[in-house]
Amino acid sequence: IAAGDGPRVSDLAQALRVTPPTITTVLDRLVDHGLVRREDDLRDRRQVITRVTSEGAALLSRLGVYSSAEVAASQPIPREPVK
């Protein structure tokens, strides 16, 4: 999720070889913890994009999953409600 422009939920499920309901459950937990947020796909309103929040990026950096430069390049967004 942290790499790139934020994958669509369906693409994420496919890449991880799990069903969409499985990835939805995982994403629900990440959203509840403020690590990820969902956004409507502006190109296809039926789709949902996942993005790492600033809290999620900080956690990835602390865990050493990504270097600071890689996390910064993913452009994490602040945790604010979608309007």
Side-chain angles (χ1 to χ4, degrees), residues 14-78:
Q14 184 177 12
L16 296 173
R17 297 181 183 188
V18 298
T19 64
T22 299
I23 200 67
T24 297
T25 301
V26 172
L27 288 173
D28 286 344
R29 291 179 183 165
L30 293 171
V31 168
D32 289 345
H33 288 288
L35 302 173
V36 170
R37 78 183 244 189
R38 293 178 173 107
E39 296 179 358
D40 291 332
D41 185 340
L42 298 177
R43 292 173 287 179
D44 184 347
R45 292 184 52 175
R46 297 169 297 174
Q47 299 292 326
V48 176
I49 294 174
T50 55
R51 298 208 190 266
V52 174
T53 63
S54 54
E55 291 91 349
L59 178 62
L60 289 171
S61 183
R62 281 194 315 268
L63 294 173
V65 174
Y66 290 94
S67 69
S68 298
E70 289 172 316
V71 171
S74 72
Q75 300 178 353
I77 54 176

